[in-house]
Amino acid sequence: MGDRETSNHSDMTDFILVGFRVSPELHILLFLLFLLVYAMILLGNLGMMAIIMTDPRLNTPMYFFLGNLSFIDLFYSSVIAPKAMSNFWTESKSISFAGCVAQIFLFALFIVAEGFLLAAMAYDRFIAICNPLLYSVHMSTRLCTQLVAGSYFCGCISSVLQTSMTFTLSFCASRAIDHFYCDSRPLQRLSCSDIFIHKIVSFSLSGIIILPTITVIIVSYMYIVSTVLKIRSVEGRKKAFSTCSSHLGVVSVLYGAVFFMYLTPDRFPELSKLASLCYSLVTPMLNPLIYSLRNKDVRDALSKLLEKKKCSGSFFPFYK
């Protein structure tokens, strides 16, 4: 009887993504909302990368990190959004076993890499404000490359561990994942295995990831605030804080959504979906807006790029 009720991960052909439990009439509205958000993610992050790569004035460590942040946001949202949108139009809402493995692996890789990258950006701001004369020495091209490569490496290691742990579980006969993408928590609910050890390992892994990154960010900003408060001029303080406000905004949105999701009990899956929506789609949409609206260098580079396009268009009057 037990053999008929359970199936090993190797026997699973596909899963069903339940998605949002709303009436079918709202599926079109949700599809249009997802489409709008995803279009803004593509436009914002591709635009940010284009601006950083084409403007020589943005060839600094801060914008090197920001370009990688846009790359990460673009890719981990692309792991989720297209499949979620297609499920609004299909009856089966199925995802293959390989597709589910790929979603968990890639999403975990990029979301963990983003956490470490935000810590590296906090360290960059700490050096820029607290040791400005030694900034170019400390934040060398080699160190910046190592920090970014280390972020991706930590994301990859974490992703391999999380994905392998998830798919060593035995799943019950039900294949319906109560989520809009493959995630380890809703998959645990389908498992017939004892997941106590799995939860302990997952919690420990999350702690190993979150605690160092949060510690670096908090300590960096403690030193930054202490240094800024010693600046006598109001204008100087304002300028120093303005270089950090965008980064703080991004950190607050991402970690706020992540903590909300992990603190949401399993008996409230819809709240967990809402939190996941915030950090999987809303955060990648807001990051370029936060950095472009609050960063004078990016605004100036964007204006210069648009002006260049406008001038180049003036050579072809027949297109007007």
Side-chain angles (χ1 to χ4, degrees):
M1 180 70 178
D3 293 336
R4 290 196 299 267
E5 289 297 324
T6 64
S7 58
N8 191 271
H9 65 282
S10 60
D11 300 324
M12 301 293 285
T13 55
D14 57 11
F15 293 98
I16 307 297
L17 294 172
V18 174
F20 295 94
R21 297 181 183 275
V22 295
S23 61
E25 293 79 13
L26 291 176
H27 282 185
I28 296 177
L29 180 62
L30 285 174
F31 170 80
L32 293 174
L33 182 61
F34 269 62
L35 182 62
L36 176 63
V37 169
Y38 188 52
M40 292 180 68
I41 290 171
L42 292 176
L43 182 64
N45 288 289
L46 286 173
M48 183 66 74
M49 286 190 288
I51 291 169
I52 291 170
M53 287 188 292
T54 56
D55 195 315
R57 294 174 300 176
L58 303 184
N59 188 21
T60 65
M62 174 181 170
Y63 295 105
F64 174 68
F65 292 134
L66 182 55
N68 278 277
L69 181 66
S70 292
F71 174 82
I72 289 172
D73 284 342
L74 179 65
F75 271 82
Y76 82 69
S77 59
S78 296
V79 170
I80 304 298
K83 183 60 181 175
M85 288 189 291
S86 69
N87 282 346
F88 289 124
W89 294 100
T90 59
E91 290 292 332
S92 65
K93 303 184 186 300
S94 64
I95 183 170
S96 66
F97 178 81
C100 191
V101 173
Q103 268 201 340
I104 288 183
F105 178 82
L106 292 173
F107 186 73
L109 189 160
F110 286 117
I111 198 72
V112 171
E114 178 155 333
F116 281 96
L117 186 62
L118 288 173
M121 294 173 76
Y123 176 73
D124 171 70
R125 293 298 84 204
F126 157 70
I127 297 295
I129 292 174
C130 299
N131 296 286
L133 298 178
L134 298 176
Y135 180 73
S136 59
V137 176
H138 283 297
M139 300 306 295
S140 62
T141 302
R142 181 182 178 183
L143 177 61
C144 292
T145 304
Q146 289 173 341
L147 288 172
V148 170
S151 298
Y152 287 115
F153 178 75
C154 291
C156 188
I157 295 298
S158 169
S159 182
V160 168
L161 291 174
Q162 183 174 335
T163 306
S164 59
M165 282 193 310
T166 300
F167 289 100
T168 53
L169 297 172
S170 294
F171 298 104
C172 299
S174 173
R175 296 175 296 122
I177 301 173
D178 193 10
H179 215 296
F180 62 95
Y181 66 91
C182 281
D183 191 34
S184 58
R185 286 184 73 188
L187 274 168
Q188 287 175 10
R189 301 185 200 119
L190 302 182
S191 175
C192 296
S193 308
D194 183 2
I195 61 172
F196 177 75
I197 299 298
H198 185 276
K199 284 189 172 183
I200 293 295
V201 174
S202 295
F203 183 79
S204 301
L205 184 60
S206 298
I208 292 171
I209 294 165
I210 293 173
L211 283 178
T213 55
I214 283 289
T215 301
V216 170
I217 292 170
I218 291 175
V219 172
S220 295
Y221 275 101
M222 286 174 63
Y223 279 103
I224 287 170
V225 170
S226 175
T227 301
V228 170
L229 291 178
K230 294 176 183 176
I231 300 174
R232 294 184 178 182
S233 68
V234 176
E235 189 64 30
R237 290 183 186 179
K238 185 178 178 182
K239 185 177 180 181
F241 275 127
S242 67
T243 64
C244 305
S245 58
S246 300
H247 178 261
L248 269 177
V250 170
V251 169
S252 301
V253 171
L254 177 66
Y255 280 98
V258 169
F259 282 128
F260 178 66
M261 189 201 72
Y262 277 102
L263 293 174
T264 302
D266 286 343
R267 65 179 181 274
F268 299 118
E270 296 304 309
L271 282 178
S272 180
K273 292 175 196 176
L274 186 62
S276 298
L277 183 64
C278 285
Y279 73 75
S280 63
L281 293 177
V282 176
T283 300
M285 178 189 70
L286 290 179
N287 287 355
L289 293 174
I290 292 171
Y291 271 99
S292 60
L293 293 176
R294 298 192 61 86
N295 191 297
K296 187 178 183 298
D297 291 337
V298 174
R299 292 199 306 269
D300 291 344
L302 179 60
S303 300
K304 184 181 177 182
L305 184 64
L306 293 174
E307 187 177 337
K308 187 183 296 184
K309 292 289 183 183
K310 185 178 178 181
C311 292
S312 63
S314 64
F315 289 103
F316 303 98
F318 49 89
Y319 281 120
K320 295 182 179 181

